Amino acid sequence: MLKIRLKRLGRKKQPIYRIIVIDSKKPRDSKAIEEIGFYNPITKTYKINLAKATKRINQGAQTTKKVKQIIKKLKN
């Protein structure tokens, strides 16, 4: 099963996350199938390609709670 989740980047105590599509059995920071956006929790900025995200969701990909919140904010 595919999952849309966050991949951690950045330095210690300064995280930056990429929003990725990945197999659910792989570790968090392994190679992604597709990168569809980013999220910076410090400045509360995010950007996501909604077309790619909805395409993957329609194909059966599951989202994590935080990614679901980001998508919901962008749709409103």
Side-chain angles (χ1 to χ4, degrees):
M1 172 190 347
L2 293 179
K3 226 168 174 120
I4 301 175
R5 64 181 180 198
L6 301 175
K7 177 179 182 178
R8 191 181 196 281
L9 302 169
R11 296 188 314 208
K12 186 177 180 181
K13 301 198 185 241
Q14 294 182 346
I16 297 174
Y17 297 95
R18 285 193 184 147
I19 302 169
I20 61 169
V21 178
I22 194 168
D23 184 26
S24 63
K25 295 178 183 176
K26 291 197 175 187
R28 176 189 71 184
D29 293 334
S30 62
K31 187 175 179 184
I33 296 171
E34 184 178 23
E35 294 181 5
I36 58 174
F38 75 91
Y39 168 61
N40 187 342
I42 296 170
T43 61
K44 306 285 191 234
T45 58
Y46 48 85
K47 183 178 179 183
I48 189 167
N49 188 334
L50 281 176
K52 289 182 180 181
T54 53
K55 176 187 162 194
R56 290 292 184 169
I57 291 169
N58 290 337
Q59 291 175 350
Q62 300 293 314
T63 59
T64 58
K65 290 180 184 178
K66 192 62 182 179
V67 173
K68 192 178 279 189
Q69 289 174 355
I70 292 170
I71 291 172
K72 189 175 180 181
K73 285 180 185 178
L74 284 174
K75 285 187 177 180
N76 290 336

